């Protein structure tokens, strides 16, 4: 097979004979990367410093990057400058508007029977309490289902406390189950007439670091204060309630919706040799929650995918265009993903792949591609195996948050899955800071993404059409 | 040898012959506990539930117990009720006055060059900023010595940032070295004309959980805002400073001294058979810092020592009186220890032992006793060895925070040393909550303390006089 794309690699010593052969065979069908070249690029990426530099720079020089905030705007400027400096083409911002929600302050104390403070924070789109605060009796529920089944007369005017247990899983799969408690609980409580809702943090840690996150008000649900208790505080409230006396909690929260603000996606490209070969889209999201500096969520994601794309760019022009997208306003409701779909839905996308699950080592890959294209994954499997990465047992589960909207058009997706064992210790908390990023595991990520791009940006096989997802 | 103290154990089946022998031989010199009886008490303590119940109850029903606060007063009432319910004698509060310091709120943000918030909290006795805040350029120092050597002209009007690295040690010994940075740094900075000082938390964690702690103003030092940065925030400020541009930080802190308040020591006793045999004092401190619920510091300490004393009490009257002291106002300056010394300095104390280093497993014991009494430690060594507890290599290092004042009178001390590997992850932070207490390790502590009391409260040997400490 030819080695067309490697022939343009300025870093490689290539014989004239090889160059001639390459020129003669430069059809897209013969563009596949040689396994040994992919392996060399992959292994070189194990010494990568670009991903660390981006993660360190973005979290240090910008810090928290709440969707629609001034900080997110500064982050876009930072991203444009950095992507240009790295040598990417067509670096630009694609702006869009978002509803702007401010966290404000939140405090709580048990008034009776055991006066003491509780640590909590507002969930996305939470309403404020009255300025003087809100004091109400607490009614506890141990599941969303038990709340849904509650007698409205028992809930009316009370502060609902909704608890649960989040399990530690390597693949993070329990987030789907307990995330629902956060996403739906506030609307359910509001419709039952609750004055406010306190939800145990969706997290696996034992710190006074409440996990924020998005929730939205379903039709007919009046916004109420919706707050996440830190896990030790939820433990405490459970113990206090179990003693059987009426429990009163005073809350103050100043969260509010504050009009429309500008957000945007930052885009950079490595133009491919064949403009008609379709785009390989990789990226993560630029915005973060405002409690931490968004290191694992998701500075690392944009850093890993950008570092890998740069390695492919520096190795020579790929067959297909690689488009790196640093999505805006993911956390508050996937606004960047929706804006991207709207603007780019008519372009040909070959493949989508997103990094938004931290930066611990990648241990498996998943696909959402045509069954007929599964044999074409063999070179990818071979390139990833030396990094300890195995294929998931079935096709159809790959996705990503920002790419989920455009994925609905039927575009193939490959997902490189990081080890999530400690991800939900930190996710959406003030503790999402640079020290949580392990440089060695970050480099393993870059190596895996470099292998992914080396194979897929040069593979002439079409991975579609994608059948509807199995679940 | 006689077994006098065990003869009164209502839980044991003892023959009439043994009872008669015990009565005949009930001289203090023949009162030593039989090794097998100590072993049985120790092993039974491995199923203890009293220590957990106290730790859980105090942290749940009272929560944070700042020295001089209403919560500390409620905690004294709670303690009296609990100690009476457990069957102790002479349960009482010995009140004293303390200066009352309120933490208030503290916030900070980097204004330039990279605007973002920092997480911090006030150190004990910190002054407030002006109500509108304090904005100043930051000058960084990597050690207390380098701050001491600074040119006052370079420091005047600036906010000092003092960083360091705390090492993880099993014995917590690095706290002495870095604790000095916190205790002395604010006065040094103030005398150099600093507007405020930010000190990297004295802690080994990586959380947005700043470690508070006591510091006091040396003669001539004007109180200034003195604040502890969480470790990730100190990392961040180091990175920002290293980029070389002038760094401006805006601070707000409302900490203040607020007059005098009542505090107190709570005391309970197991009266000994021989009122002249001297008191074995055990305990910990009832107050806590206000950020957490004071589970490892020091609900566990009062719980462990109380549970052990109850086990000895329930096993039969010991030779010597065991006095359990739940000291007040330790954290803000050892006020309870000073008040105890003042009130009880003329009483005969046989031995002092305090638990104030969390509740992870005890791995060694230290002594500060007469050299001549070292052979008398053999029964103790034998009783502790099955719990994995070894003697420290030299005599003279045993102490304790609350007991340090009365120890100065020359009273022997034995210290059971807990594993401190994870202690400074949590110490003085909001994270000092019940979930940090491992019930199994807590029970090992109770077993060790039960063995200690079984041996020492019945050992007729005098452990004094204590030579001056070697260091």
């Amino acid at each position: 097979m030819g080695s067309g794309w490697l022939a343009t690699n300025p870093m490689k010593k290539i014989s004239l004979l090889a160059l001639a052969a390459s020129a003669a065979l430069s059809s897209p069908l013969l563009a596949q990367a040689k396994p040994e070249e992919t392996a060399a690029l992959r292994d070189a990426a194990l010494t990568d410093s670009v991903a660390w530099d981006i993660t360190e720079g973005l979290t240090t020089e910008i810090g928290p990057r709440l969707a629609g905030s001034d900080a997110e705007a500064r982050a876009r400027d930072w991203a444009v400058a950095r992507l240009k400096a790295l040598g990417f083409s067509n670096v630009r911002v694609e702006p869009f508007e978002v509803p702007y929600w401010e966290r404000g302050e939140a405090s709580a104390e048990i008034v009776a029977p055991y006066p003491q403070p509780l640590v909590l924070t507002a969930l996305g789109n939470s309403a404020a309490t009255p300025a003087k605060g809100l004091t109400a009796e607490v009614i506890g529920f141990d599941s969303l289902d038990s709340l849904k089944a509650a007698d409205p007369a028992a809930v009316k005017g009370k502060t609902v406390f909704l608890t649960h247990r989040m399990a530690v899983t390597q693949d993070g799969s329990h987030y789907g189950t307990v995330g629902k408690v956060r996403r739906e609980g506030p609307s359910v409580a509001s419709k039952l007439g609750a004055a406010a809702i306190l939800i145990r943090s969706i997290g696996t840690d034992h710190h006074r670091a409440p996990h924020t996150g998005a929730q939205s008000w379903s039709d007919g649900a009046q916004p109420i204060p919706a707050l996440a208790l830190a896990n030790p505080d939820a433990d405490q409230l459970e113990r206090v309630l179990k003693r059987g006396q009426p429990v009163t909690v005073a809350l103050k929260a100043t969260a509010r919706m504050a009009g429309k603000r500008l957000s945007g996606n930052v885009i950079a490209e490595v133009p491919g040799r064949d403009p008609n070969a379709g785009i390989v889209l990789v990226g993560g999201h630029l915005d973060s929650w405002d409690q931490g500096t968004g290191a694992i969520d998701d500075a690392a994601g944009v850093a890993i995918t950008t570092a890998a794309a740069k390695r492919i760019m520096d190795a020579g022009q790929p067959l297909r265009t690689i488009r790196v997208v640093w999505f805006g306003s993911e956390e508050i409701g996937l606004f960047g993903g929706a804006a991207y779909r709207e603007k780019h839905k008519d372009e040909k996308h070959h493949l989508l792949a997103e990094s938004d699950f931290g930066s611990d080592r990648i241990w498996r890959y998943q696909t959402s591609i045509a069954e007929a294209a599964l044999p074409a994954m063999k070179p990818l499997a071979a390139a990833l195996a030396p990094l300890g990465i195995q294929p998931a047992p079935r096709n159809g589960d790959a996705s990503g948050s920002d790419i989920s909207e455009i994925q609905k058009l039927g575009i193939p997706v490959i997902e490189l899955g990081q080890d999530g064992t400690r991800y939900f210790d930190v996710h959406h908390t003030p503790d999402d800071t640079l020290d949580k990023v392990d440089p060695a595991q970050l480099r393993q990520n870059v190596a895996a993404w470099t292998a992914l791009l080396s194979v897929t940006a040069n593979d002439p096989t079409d991975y579609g059409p994608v059948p509807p997802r199995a679940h």
Side-chain angles (χ1 to χ4, degrees), chain A:
Chain A
M1 303 298 279
S3 61
W5 75 280
L6 281 166
T8 58
N9 181 350
M11 308 300 287
K12 300 274 174 189
K13 290 183 185 162
I14 294 178
S15 73
L16 287 175
L17 184 61
L19 277 171
S22 152
L25 300 172
S26 66
S27 135
L29 284 171
L30 296 170
Q32 214 156 356
K34 280 186 182 168
E36 60 272 27
E37 297 292 347
T38 292
L41 285 168
R42 175 197 67 209
D43 294 346
L46 290 170
T47 62
D48 178 77
S49 63
V50 171
W52 178 263
D53 288 347
I54 292 173
T55 309
E56 194 266 0
L58 188 57
T59 58
T60 301
E61 298 178 11
I62 306 297
R65 307 173 294 283
L66 183 65
S69 68
D70 293 345
E72 198 201 26
R74 287 196 302 274
R76 286 193 293 279
D77 293 342
W78 190 98
V80 165
R82 179 61 60 104
L83 289 164
K84 283 182 177 172
L86 288 170
F88 288 97
S89 300
N90 307 327
V91 178
R92 65 203 189 262
V93 175
E94 294 182 349
F96 51 87
E97 275 198 334
V98 294
Y100 183 57
W101 174 81
E102 283 184 337
R103 175 174 311 286
E105 303 293 322
S107 62
E109 56 182 309
I110 299 174
V111 175
Y114 308 127
Q116 60 188 284
L118 296 173
V119 175
L120 40 59
T121 196
L123 293 170
N125 298 319
S126 170
T129 61
K132 64 175 176 28
L134 168 67
T135 299
E137 189 178 335
V138 173
I139 180 167
F141 296 92
D142 62 5
S143 72
L144 186 58
D145 284 343
S146 62
L147 175 62
K148 284 179 176 171
D151 176 2
V155 172
K156 190 171 170 54
K158 295 203 177 118
T159 289
V160 165
F161 168 48
L162 187 47
T163 191
H164 59 83
R165 292 284 165 187
M166 187 178 193
V168 175
T169 53
Q170 190 176 19
D171 65 358
S173 54
H174 202 226
Y175 188 51
T177 310
V178 295
K180 193 175 168 181
V181 174
R182 181 190 81 211
R183 290 189 299 271
E184 300 182 15
S187 290
V188 173
S190 172
K191 288 184 177 178
L192 287 166
I197 182 168
L198 310 178
I199 299 181
R200 176 188 280 274
S201 281
I202 310 300
T204 50
D205 64 300
H206 298 276
H207 296 284
R208 306 295 285 285
H211 297 240
T212 191
Q215 64 86 31
S216 56
W217 302 105
S218 64
D219 284 348
Q222 184 69 22
I224 57 175
L227 304 147
L229 280 169
N231 274 317
D233 299 83
D235 293 343
Q236 185 81 326
L237 191 50
E238 281 189 19
R239 281 190 294 270
V240 170
L241 283 165
K242 276 182 187 154
R243 277 159 160 84
Q245 296 177 256
V247 176
T248 306
V249 165
L251 300 174
K252 280 192 186 178
T254 61
R256 66 181 191 122
M257 301 304 304
K260 292 271 186 185
R261 292 280 192 102
L262 207 61
S263 183
N265 296 326
V266 181
I267 297 182
E269 289 172 351
V270 181
R273 293 194 309 283
D274 181 354
N276 300 316
I279 294 158
V280 174
L281 186 160
V282 298
H285 62 88
L286 177 57
D287 68 305
S288 75
W289 282 110
D290 50 327
Q291 298 200 106
T293 61
I296 68 159
D297 188 14
D298 187 26
V302 298
I304 291 161
T305 51
T306 301
K310 178 174 167 55
R311 287 182 171 272
I312 300 302
M313 174 173 71
D314 291 348
Q317 192 177 26
L319 170 65
R320 305 180 196 272
T321 292
I322 298 171
R323 179 177 286 171
V324 180
V325 186
W326 297 20
F327 290 93
S329 295
E330 187 267 354
E331 294 291 6
I332 62 165
L334 312 181
F335 287 90
Y340 183 87
R341 173 183 166 156
E342 185 55 32
K343 193 169 174 72
H344 298 280
K345 59 181 180 293
D346 297 328
E347 288 174 86
K348 180 177 175 187
H349 286 81
H350 171 64
L351 178 69
L352 313 170
E354 177 166 7
S355 175
D356 185 19
F357 196 54
S359 55
D360 280 351
R361 74 176 185 87
I362 294 169
W363 63 285
R364 71 166 178 186
Y365 71 90
Q366 293 177 289
T367 56
S368 289
I369 63 175
E371 293 290 324
L374 287 174
M377 294 295 106
K378 278 182 188 167
L380 180 64
L384 294 176
L387 296 172
I389 302 168
Q390 301 297 323
R394 65 175 187 182
N395 182 37
D397 292 338
S399 187
S401 56
D402 296 282
I403 60 173
S404 60
E405 273 300 317
I406 191 152
Q407 180 182 12
K408 290 174 186 166
L409 302 181
I411 302 167
V413 175
I414 296 176
E415 184 176 348
L416 296 177
Q418 285 116 334
D419 189 315
T421 306
R422 63 180 194 141
Y423 186 70
F424 290 104
D425 288 351
V426 169
H427 176 248
H428 292 189
T429 75
D431 277 333
D432 182 1
T433 49
L434 183 63
D435 50 289
K436 308 311 180 301
V437 176
D438 174 356
Q441 295 191 70
L442 185 75
R443 291 191 292 266
Q444 188 260 12
N445 274 254
V446 178
W449 279 86
T450 300
L452 173 72
L453 284 177
S454 174
V455 171
T456 62
N458 292 289
D459 181 357
T461 310
D462 188 349
Y463 300 153
V466 183
R469 293 186 74 193
H471 62 290

